[in-house]
Amino acid sequence: MADPKRAPAPADAGTGPSDDVALRIGALRDEIAEHNRRYHAEDAPIISDAEYDALVRELRGYEEQFPELLVPDSPTQQVGGPRSTLFAPVRHRAPMMSLDNAFSADELVAWGERIERRLARGDGNSGATRVVDVEVDPVPEVEPAPDAERTPAGYACELKIDGVAISLRYEGGQLVQAATRGDGQTGEDVTANVRTVGVVPKQLPAGAPQVLEVRGEVYMSTSAFDALQARQRAENLARIEAGRKPNPVAVNPRNAAAGSLRQKDPAVTASRELSMWCYQLGEVEGGPAFTTHSETLAFLGGLGFPVNPEVRLLDTIEEVHAFCERWQQHRHDLDYEIDGVVTKVDELARRELLGTTSRAPRWAIAYKFPPEERTTTLLDIKVSVGRTGRVTPYAQLEPVFVGGANVSQATLHNQDQVKAKDVRVGDTVVVRRAGDVIPEVVGPVLTPEHDARPEWVFPTTCPCSVESVLVRPEGESDTRCVHPECPFQQAGHIEHFGGRGSMDIEGFGEQRVRLFLDLGLIADVADIYSIDWERVRGLEGFGDTAIANLQAGIEASKDRPLANLLVGLNIRHLGPAGAEALARAFGHLDRILAASVDEMASVEGVGPVIAAAARAWFDDDDAHRSLIEKLRAAGLNFAGPEASGEPQTLLGKSVVVTGTLEGYSREEVEAAIKARGGKAPASVSKKTTAVVVGESPGASKVTKAEELGIPVLDEAGFERLLTTGELSA
Ligand code: IVH
């Protein structure tokens, strides 16, 4: 028996549909109808838009191949899906249509050619400039119109807003009704909720048409969505702690907008910061006559409707495609989600000629961007242990192509994130990879199976072989393995030490580090400098050249700047900027080792948190001081090449200079202060040690210093301060 869930083998050209095809068509129709219901009636889709589109395309492909199997109630002939019964039905006077899609440049070009052929057939030559593909759809050859006669700007290109289509109806200038699209003929009355959307005009200026229907997309901005999602996740954590079930969390701005519009209490909608872009007229009575779509947009803008500013009028399909590509690249520059570009024939008379099919106008096409969200199966949740001992849960996924890459793993960040997202092994999950952002598991598709699955439990011991209990300090979101000999941490630390930004040891990547650790050739970072090369010789991949190269890489690393060494030591909170600041201020590792927390904290770019962490690290005599001595013995550079050589008279001091000094440029003043370990901020605060005043000082700085009782010095006083660290002689 054929499996209706799988695509049947293609039928031979010229033959009728096989039973398999008929079966598959039936299965596709059922499946699509079910997804329509979940999407439109429940706001709870269980597959991504891209997967839905693929099903529709497959069905449409069969129906085109075997038109005898096409039936009027096929989902390909309808718009959207059934309504929910929560809100009163509204019959649209002008139907709200869907759009045909193009998924590639070829499909876009084919659409352009199709409409030009039709226009050429319909009105002789209404701006049509190219005729191709004569075999498929024969039309008389048309001479391109001379440039002067060509209709310029044939296409109006707009962003395809990923929101909820809404029709607004105004009578006598008053907003009387707002309705969703529903099945295109009948939608839902969401007037009370749409009234809470700030940008939607409730009353139009005098002179507006007696009846005006405006269509557009209600959406939630990305920033509003991020805030809502964070709020919902935090609420869920509190619920879980109180032993209650978490609420579903919005997985993307479109679903959030749809859910917000479907609230019974408009006050909830009002709290959701919805917005709208308007892009189309519906029924109009008593309005001006328009000749182009772009005129209608300008008219809407004039009446106070929000019209997206990124509309472009373009002449050729090549320009349209370039516009689509540009927005595909820049979609994340916007604070709202777009999933494509809608191209519309601008001239209304030409639209008339082109007409519509039962579900979509022929005069418009939606160029869809590749999906950034897909659903896949969560195969497992594992944890990895980083060099600082941080234990990070991550999702192992059934590989899925999303956002231009194959994704099989995605971080879940920490224990709270797993809880708040409530993802469970076996769930179908939404995976998102947008732009350069790392892949993310957004959340589970909520199904009865999800509820039946056990919640994931964070491990209590480290996956490292040494027995170690994981620790999550009060008030912190990270869980850590605190065992000093945890091999995962060791490996992570050694990789980090040899990595870029630290000692940058050429040819000493993850695999070799793990191999050398496994063979006992190294146990800590200092061992890198005393490897028994005789044992390495003979290992696979270690010929004379490979060994010589690695030795050279290790040798070269001994001369790295002090800041790199500090980064490589793996001191918590100490990143490249803090390390650089410490190296500059103290000039030598020994001086840093001798510095107090306060002295370190007073260096610009080093705060009390870094200072305390560094001090604690250095004070661990057994593990760390001995490591430093091993590194010294190996001949590593401990001196800051940028060491100022100046006495550190200004450690812990903060000096503001205003106006011009005779002996120093602005840069020299700053350098002189920093070279002595001080800070040189731009503004006066109660932490300021002294304010130095030169020619034409900033009045506000002097006034503020006086108000706060901070000593004000002249240039001589400044020089004294530099040499002695004292404020007065
Ligand atoms: S025009 C008859 N313009 O995309 C044409 N639609 O996938 C009506 N959409 O149903 C639609 N941005 O909900 C149009 N600039 C835009 C749009 C847009 C988003 C939505 C709309 C439509 C759906 C089709």
Side-chain angles (χ1 to χ4, degrees), residues 702-710:
V702 181
T703 319
K704 185 136 191 216
E706 282 164 1
E707 272 171 23
L708 295 171
I710 292 167

Side-chain angles (χ1 to χ4, degrees), residues 360-635:
R362 291 200 187 85
W363 43 260
I365 189 91
Y367 179 92
K368 296 283 271 290
F369 296 153
E372 294 190 320
E373 256 176 36
R374 297 286 300 272
T375 52
T376 189
T377 308
L378 176 60
L379 300 175
D380 204 353
I381 299 176
K382 295 197 162 155
V383 294
S384 67
V385 186
R387 65 186 159 88
T388 59
R390 186 162 79 192
V391 180
T392 308
Y394 65 93
Q396 279 217 307
L397 304 162
E398 181 76 48
V400 63
F401 192 75
V402 57
N406 264 317
V407 173
S408 55
Q409 284 187 353
T411 178
L412 287 164
H413 302 289
N414 57 42
Q415 184 173 17
D416 287 351
Q417 287 273 322
V418 185
K419 258 194 189 174
K421 289 181 177 173
D422 192 21
V423 280
R424 306 177 186 187
V425 174
D427 277 352
T428 301
V429 290
V430 178
V431 176
R432 184 175 165 81
R433 184 176 181 275
D436 296 333
V437 180
I438 56 164
E440 188 199 8
V441 173
V442 183
V445 171
L446 293 174
T447 57
E449 293 82 17
H450 164 87
D451 290 338
R453 291 186 184 112
E455 278 176 34
W456 183 72
V457 185
F458 204 90
T460 49
T461 53
C462 180
C464 67
S465 43
V466 274
E467 276 189 16
S468 155
V469 175
L470 298 181
V471 178
R472 180 175 170 182
E474 183 82 30
E476 286 193 20
S477 54
D478 288 331
T479 308
R480 290 175 191 280
C481 169
V482 288
H483 201 293
E485 278 151 35
C486 166
F488 292 107
Q489 286 180 60
Q490 292 282 20
H493 180 196
I494 297 171
E495 278 163 37
H496 168 74
F497 186 85
R500 265 202 222 127
S502 303
M503 306 314 278
D504 201 2
I505 303 175
E506 181 108 21
F508 202 48
E510 185 181 332
Q511 276 188 356
R512 284 183 170 179
V513 169
R514 303 233 163 191
L515 176 72
F516 283 21
L517 268 170
D518 287 349
L519 294 175
L521 284 162
I522 52 173
D524 64 31
V525 296
D527 292 341
I528 296 171
Y529 299 97
S530 57
I531 290 172
D532 179 353
W533 293 104
E534 282 320 304
R535 287 187 58 202
V536 177
R537 215 173 290 281
L539 292 176
E540 207 184 310
F542 285 96
D544 288 347
T545 319
I547 289 184
N549 286 344
L550 185 53
Q551 283 173 330
I554 291 173
E555 200 53 35
S557 76
K558 292 181 179 172
D559 296 328
R560 300 279 177 251
L562 174 58
N564 291 45
L565 175 60
L566 287 169
V567 170
L569 291 178
N570 196 27
I571 298 169
R572 212 173 154 204
H573 304 297
L574 184 63
E580 185 70 41
L582 283 177
R584 245 175 218 286
F586 293 96
H588 197 279
L589 184 56
D590 285 336
R591 283 202 284 276
I592 302 177
L593 292 177
S596 70
V597 172
D598 283 350
E599 283 169 340
M600 283 193 268
S602 65
V603 175
E604 178 135 12
V606 181
V609 176
I610 296 178
R615 192 62 269 150
W617 196 93
F618 297 135
D619 285 345
D620 185 340
D621 285 347
D622 287 343
H624 300 148
R625 282 294 179 128
S626 55
L627 184 77
I628 287 175
E629 290 318 313
K630 266 168 92 178
L631 292 172
R632 191 199 302 273

Side-chain angles (χ1 to χ4, degrees), residues 97 99 158-161 165 181 217 279 342 344 361 363:
M97 306 205 88
L99 290 172
E158 299 169 9
L159 303 184
K160 186 171 182 318
I161 314 298
R181 185 173 72 176
E217 208 80 358
Y279 46 66
V342 182
K344 302 169 180 176
W363 43 260

Side-chain angles (χ1 to χ4, degrees), residues 155 199 216-217 248 260 270-271 293 323 339 360 522 567 668 685 727:
Y155 303 113
V199 294
E217 208 80 358
S260 304
S271 72
H293 171 69
F323 180 84
D339 59 344
I522 52 173
V567 170
E668 284 165 352
S685 74
L727 287 166

